Amino acid sequence: MDFARRAVCGLLTARPKLVHQLPSSETRRGGAWPSPRSWEMTLCLVAFATAAGSSREVLSLLVRGTVGDGPGLELLASLDRMDLPDPEAVLADPAGAVLPERGDLRQAVLDGVVDAVRRRPDRARWDAAWALLVRAVETGAPDLVVVPATTLASLRQEDWDVPASIERLAGVVSLSRRADRAADRAADRAAAKGSVVTGSGR
């Protein structure tokens, strides 16, 4: 129940307009919409579903069926973020960190770790973050590390040696950037070709 209460209360504290949204039409009032009563029911359903080990699909149906699609999806996103590992725990043991399989959640973990280093930079934390990025490349989509790696590199202080692990990421970052530039060039060529065709048809 505590997990569910933190999730619901956290969302409603951040998004107070979601506490009560009476639909404007009579038809929509017959469906699911957010109110203090429906949020209380949602809290109970989340607690029950979590304790029962229900799938995400079942949890999604329960939540959206109680407070509506929009608020329900926001709550599900909040629940996902609550399940993410603490950045400080990850920095303390990057080799033992369990990264999420889902790309958006994995990206959130990597961004959170880099942000933690930015807020309290020191050499050991910086090295630990690089170790985590290498692990992320080895166990998932390489493109997810491009932005965190670029940000982490910008945090380097003059007396910090570049860790050898960065070499394992250099190719990935460079390849991703080349792919992005190639995609941009292809899009520019397609746009130019389209304008020529349009112009010739006049």
Side-chain angles (χ1 to χ4, degrees), residues 23-124:
S24 56
S25 69
E26 289 291 337
T27 304
R28 294 184 61 193
R29 288 178 194 172
W33 50 277
S35 70
R37 183 177 178 181
S38 61
W39 280 117
E40 185 66 30
M41 177 59 70
T42 300
L43 192 155
C44 294
L45 289 172
V46 169
F48 178 79
T50 303
S54 299
S55 68
R56 181 179 173 81
E57 290 74 19
V58 169
L59 183 60
S60 176
L61 288 171
L62 292 172
V63 169
R64 290 162 52 219
T66 308
V67 292
D69 287 341
L73 291 172
E74 288 197 46
L75 178 60
L76 291 169
S78 296
L79 290 169
D80 287 339
R81 288 192 293 272
M82 287 179 66
D83 280 338
L84 296 180
D86 177 26
E88 294 299 334
V90 173
L91 284 170
D93 182 20
V98 177
L99 293 170
E101 292 295 326
R102 267 178 50 190
D104 59 331
L105 300 182
R106 179 172 286 227
Q107 186 79 68
V109 171
L110 299 180
D111 289 344
V113 166
V114 172
D115 187 58
V117 175
R118 181 188 59 76
R119 284 185 279 106
R120 189 160 62 86
D122 71 32
R123 172 63 191 275

Side-chain angles (χ1 to χ4, degrees), residues 160-178:
W160 293 356
D161 295 331
V162 177
S165 59
I166 289 183
E167 294 180 11
R168 301 167 73 178
L169 296 172
V172 172
V173 173
S174 175
L175 180 61
S176 177
R177 286 179 174 164
R178 287 200 300 272

